[in-house]
Amino acid sequence: MKISYLLAILPLVSAYPGHGTGSTVSAHWKPAGSNDFRGPCPMMNTLANHGFLPHDGKNITRETLVKGLHDALNFNASLSSLMFDMGVVANPETNATYFTLDQLNRHNVLEHDASLSRADDFFGSNHIFNETVFDESRAYWTAETLTPAMLANSKIARQINSKAFNPQYKFTSKTEQFSLGEIAAPIIAFGNSTSGEVNRTLVEYFFMNERLPIELGWKKSEDGIALDDILRVTQMISKAASLITPSALSKNHVRMEL
Ligand SMILES: *[C@@H]1O[C@H](CO)[C@@H](O)[C@H](O)[C@H]1NC(C)=O
Ligand SMILES: *[C@@H]1O[C@H](CO)[C@@H](O)[C@H](O)[C@H]1NC(C)=O
Ligand SMILES: *[C@@H]1O[C@H](CO)[C@@H](O)[C@H](O)[C@H]1NC(C)=O
Ligand SMILES: *[C@@H]1O[C@H](CO)[C@@H](O)[C@H](O)[C@H]1NC(C)=O
Ligand SMILES: *[C@@H]1O[C@H](CO)[C@@H](O)[C@H](O)[C@H]1NC(C)=O
Ligand SMILES: *[C@@H]1O[C@H](CO)[C@@H](O)[C@H](O)[C@H]1NC(C)=O
């Protein structure tokens, strides 16, 4: 189901603490301390760093997530609630009502191989930002304005690298949906979800600092983000990930089809 794309977005989505302006908000940014939980999802970590989610990374309830995603990124409440249902499976307790950021680290529950900025579980930490891996991904970000094709290329490249060198490489069709959502996330949060384009500087700043690019001039969406936006952008990435180019429509070709 297309809806499972949302699983992928969850890591990217979250919440703001107040109704402050951009500059007030950025002043709240503080990296994780040694007792704070963080996970594999750069956006969830970012929102916790800003205090839009609990700074300690614990007790992320439906209420917290809905408020956080609304305040930070102007996400629609029913969308965020749906995302909570998908994310709470990270908590192994039955009928859990919350999850913690470190629970997202459980390999092959939501966390998966071949992500853009984390090593595969087989090779090292599956949840701490890994510069080697990120450099591998951004080698495909070949212009100042990223397109769905560039982001899709980095996704495919990471999968090929993992498939070739990680003997435990696992990437199911569910992982694919989750992965598409993750790739779409920077476009949805920082770019234009109609054109599918996003400023590379903002995306790199976000991944490398786990901080919203407020000081670079970014502002949250005024129109709000709903399920439709997410489905549209994940679909763009999915199409852009095809390795087959459209057939040339020559006169001969048309004649043959007739
Ligand atoms: C968890 O957060 C909820 C609000 O979403 C709050 O009611 C509850 O007391 C918190 N639990 C703990 C253990 O902090
Ligand atoms: C959220 O989106 C749904 C449809 O996806 C819509 O029915 C609802 O009114 C929206 N909520 C808000 C607060 O905009
Ligand atoms: C979990 O929720 C279901 C449905 O509400 C209920 O039937 C079940 O007893 C609950 N399990 C536990 C361990 O609370
Ligand atoms: C970073 O990723 C590389 C490539 O997978 C791996 O060799 C290295 O051990 C990772 N570093 C950490 C700290 O996990
Ligand atoms: C987003 O992209 C669309 C389609 O290319 C364009 O019409 C629109 O002006 C862009 N929006 C912004 C805010 O740049
Ligand atoms: C991207 O954002 C940076 C930082 O705000 C800005 O300096 C740069 O001009 C932007 N690039 C494009 C292509 O808009």
mmCIF file of all heavy atoms in Angstrom, residues 143-146 198-203 213-218, ligand 6:
data_model
loop_
_atom_site.group_PDB
_atom_site.id
_atom_site.type_symbol
_atom_site.label_atom_id
_atom_site.label_comp_id
_atom_site.label_asym_id
_atom_site.label_seq_id
_atom_site.Cartn_x
_atom_site.Cartn_y
_atom_site.Cartn_z
ATOM 1 N N ALA A 143 24.109 19.117 -8.623
ATOM 2 C CA ALA A 143 23.829 20.536 -8.882
ATOM 3 C C ALA A 143 23.337 21.186 -7.599
ATOM 4 O O ALA A 143 22.941 20.492 -6.656
ATOM 5 C CB ALA A 143 22.783 20.684 -9.991
ATOM 6 N N GLU A 144 23.360 22.508 -7.575
ATOM 7 C CA GLU A 144 22.944 23.245 -6.377
ATOM 8 C C GLU A 144 21.479 23.032 -6.030
ATOM 9 O O GLU A 144 21.083 23.161 -4.883
ATOM 10 C CB GLU A 144 23.171 24.744 -6.582
ATOM 11 C CG GLU A 144 24.482 25.239 -6.039
ATOM 12 C CD GLU A 144 24.589 26.743 -6.202
ATOM 13 O OE1 GLU A 144 23.692 27.466 -5.735
ATOM 14 O OE2 GLU A 144 25.577 27.171 -6.825
ATOM 15 N N THR A 145 20.681 22.780 -7.067
ATOM 16 C CA THR A 145 19.275 22.458 -6.828
ATOM 17 C C THR A 145 19.077 20.973 -7.093
ATOM 18 O O THR A 145 19.264 20.508 -8.213
ATOM 19 C CB THR A 145 18.365 23.298 -7.743
ATOM 20 O OG1 THR A 145 18.601 24.687 -7.469
ATOM 21 C CG2 THR A 145 16.899 22.985 -7.503
ATOM 22 N N LEU A 146 18.725 20.245 -6.047
ATOM 23 C CA LEU A 146 18.542 18.795 -6.197
ATOM 24 C C LEU A 146 17.206 18.508 -6.869
ATOM 25 O O LEU A 146 16.200 19.156 -6.569
ATOM 26 C CB LEU A 146 18.559 18.111 -4.834
ATOM 27 C CG LEU A 146 19.824 18.275 -3.992
ATOM 28 C CD1 LEU A 146 19.681 17.510 -2.683
ATOM 29 C CD2 LEU A 146 21.044 17.804 -4.758
ATOM 30 N N VAL A 198 14.811 20.796 -4.418
ATOM 31 C CA VAL A 198 15.201 21.294 -3.089
ATOM 32 C C VAL A 198 16.646 21.770 -3.142
ATOM 33 O O VAL A 198 17.481 21.191 -3.850
ATOM 34 C CB VAL A 198 14.972 20.207 -1.996
ATOM 35 C CG1 VAL A 198 15.753 18.930 -2.283
ATOM 36 C CG2 VAL A 198 15.293 20.729 -0.597
ATOM 37 N N ASN A 199 16.933 22.814 -2.397
ATOM 38 C CA ASN A 199 18.263 23.419 -2.343
ATOM 39 C C ASN A 199 19.250 22.458 -1.649
ATOM 40 O O ASN A 199 19.053 22.090 -0.488
ATOM 41 C CB ASN A 199 18.133 24.743 -1.580
ATOM 42 C CG ASN A 199 19.436 25.496 -1.470
ATOM 43 O OD1 ASN A 199 20.483 24.924 -1.216
ATOM 44 N ND2 ASN A 199 19.350 26.813 -1.653
ATOM 45 N N ARG A 200 20.324 22.095 -2.359
ATOM 46 C CA ARG A 200 21.300 21.136 -1.825
ATOM 47 C C ARG A 200 21.954 21.622 -0.526
ATOM 48 O O ARG A 200 22.183 20.832 0.391
ATOM 49 C CB ARG A 200 22.386 20.886 -2.888
ATOM 50 C CG ARG A 200 23.449 19.891 -2.461
ATOM 51 C CD ARG A 200 24.471 19.640 -3.564
ATOM 52 N NE ARG A 200 25.237 20.845 -3.886
ATOM 53 C CZ ARG A 200 26.021 20.994 -4.942
ATOM 54 N NH1 ARG A 200 26.149 19.995 -5.808
ATOM 55 N NH2 ARG A 200 26.674 22.116 -5.166
ATOM 56 N N THR A 201 22.243 22.908 -0.450
ATOM 57 C CA THR A 201 22.899 23.450 0.750
ATOM 58 C C THR A 201 22.037 23.210 1.996
ATOM 59 O O THR A 201 22.552 22.846 3.057
ATOM 60 C CB THR A 201 23.144 24.972 0.580
ATOM 61 O OG1 THR A 201 23.842 25.170 -0.648
ATOM 62 C CG2 THR A 201 23.941 25.541 1.717
ATOM 63 N N LEU A 202 20.733 23.399 1.848
ATOM 64 C CA LEU A 202 19.840 23.191 2.994
ATOM 65 C C LEU A 202 19.823 21.724 3.414
ATOM 66 O O LEU A 202 19.844 21.394 4.606
ATOM 67 C CB LEU A 202 18.404 23.631 2.664
ATOM 68 C CG LEU A 202 18.150 25.076 2.228
ATOM 69 C CD1 LEU A 202 16.641 25.353 2.194
ATOM 70 C CD2 LEU A 202 18.851 26.073 3.133
ATOM 71 N N VAL A 203 19.794 20.842 2.432
ATOM 72 C CA VAL A 203 19.709 19.406 2.727
ATOM 73 C C VAL A 203 20.997 18.922 3.391
ATOM 74 O O VAL A 203 20.958 18.172 4.377
ATOM 75 C CB VAL A 203 19.411 18.600 1.440
ATOM 76 C CG1 VAL A 203 19.381 17.114 1.731
ATOM 77 C CG2 VAL A 203 18.089 19.047 0.822
ATOM 78 N N PRO A 213 17.432 24.203 8.837
ATOM 79 C CA PRO A 213 18.290 25.224 8.201
ATOM 80 C C PRO A 213 17.717 26.639 8.319
ATOM 81 O O PRO A 213 17.704 27.407 7.354
ATOM 82 C CB PRO A 213 18.372 24.758 6.740
ATOM 83 C CG PRO A 213 17.155 23.943 6.525
ATOM 84 C CD PRO A 213 16.757 23.349 7.846
ATOM 85 N N ILE A 214 17.279 26.981 9.514
ATOM 86 C CA ILE A 214 16.644 28.276 9.752
ATOM 87 C C ILE A 214 17.624 29.417 9.485
ATOM 88 O O ILE A 214 17.284 30.406 8.846
ATOM 89 C CB ILE A 214 16.110 28.336 11.200
ATOM 90 C CG1 ILE A 214 14.979 27.311 11.371
ATOM 91 C CG2 ILE A 214 15.622 29.745 11.546
ATOM 92 C CD1 ILE A 214 14.638 26.989 12.818
ATOM 93 N N GLU A 215 18.864 29.235 9.929
ATOM 94 C CA GLU A 215 19.834 30.331 9.740
ATOM 95 C C GLU A 215 20.235 30.497 8.280
ATOM 96 O O GLU A 215 20.858 31.489 7.918
ATOM 97 C CB GLU A 215 21.054 30.148 10.650
ATOM 98 C CG GLU A 215 21.893 28.939 10.337
ATOM 99 C CD GLU A 215 23.068 28.767 11.307
ATOM 100 O OE1 GLU A 215 23.058 29.405 12.377
ATOM 101 O OE2 GLU A 215 23.997 28.005 10.984
ATOM 102 N N LEU A 216 19.854 29.535 7.445
ATOM 103 C CA LEU A 216 20.109 29.681 6.004
ATOM 104 C C LEU A 216 18.888 30.250 5.282
ATOM 105 O O LEU A 216 18.851 30.305 4.062
ATOM 106 C CB LEU A 216 20.490 28.322 5.389
ATOM 107 C CG LEU A 216 21.744 27.650 5.949
ATOM 108 C CD1 LEU A 216 22.031 26.341 5.231
ATOM 109 C CD2 LEU A 216 22.960 28.576 5.832
ATOM 110 N N GLY A 217 17.875 30.621 6.057
ATOM 111 C CA GLY A 217 16.726 31.299 5.455
ATOM 112 C C GLY A 217 15.494 30.418 5.257
ATOM 113 O O GLY A 217 14.470 30.888 4.778
ATOM 114 N N TRP A 218 15.591 29.148 5.650
ATOM 115 C CA TRP A 218 14.429 28.260 5.484
ATOM 116 C C TRP A 218 13.307 28.642 6.451
ATOM 117 O O TRP A 218 13.562 29.045 7.593
ATOM 118 C CB TRP A 218 14.849 26.805 5.726
ATOM 119 C CG TRP A 218 13.669 25.881 5.819
ATOM 120 C CD1 TRP A 218 12.990 25.321 4.783
ATOM 121 C CD2 TRP A 218 13.010 25.428 7.024
ATOM 122 N NE1 TRP A 218 11.960 24.546 5.263
ATOM 123 C CE2 TRP A 218 11.939 24.602 6.628
ATOM 124 C CE3 TRP A 218 13.211 25.656 8.388
ATOM 125 C CZ2 TRP A 218 11.084 23.983 7.551
ATOM 126 C CZ3 TRP A 218 12.357 25.049 9.303
ATOM 127 C CH2 TRP A 218 11.309 24.223 8.879
HETATM 128 C C1 LIG B 6 20.529 27.613 -1.498
HETATM 129 O O1 LIG B 6 20.503 28.131 -0.197
HETATM 130 C C2 LIG B 6 21.700 28.841 0.140
HETATM 131 C C3 LIG B 6 21.607 29.172 1.620
HETATM 132 O O2 LIG B 6 20.446 29.908 1.890
HETATM 133 C C4 LIG B 6 21.790 30.058 -0.756
HETATM 134 O O3 LIG B 6 22.967 30.783 -0.455
HETATM 135 C C5 LIG B 6 21.813 29.619 -2.212
HETATM 136 O O4 LIG B 6 21.785 30.731 -3.050
HETATM 137 C C6 LIG B 6 20.637 28.719 -2.529
HETATM 138 N N1 LIG B 6 20.843 28.125 -3.842
HETATM 139 C C7 LIG B 6 19.940 28.187 -4.790
HETATM 140 C C8 LIG B 6 20.300 27.506 -6.079
HETATM 141 O O5 LIG B 6 18.868 28.751 -4.643
#
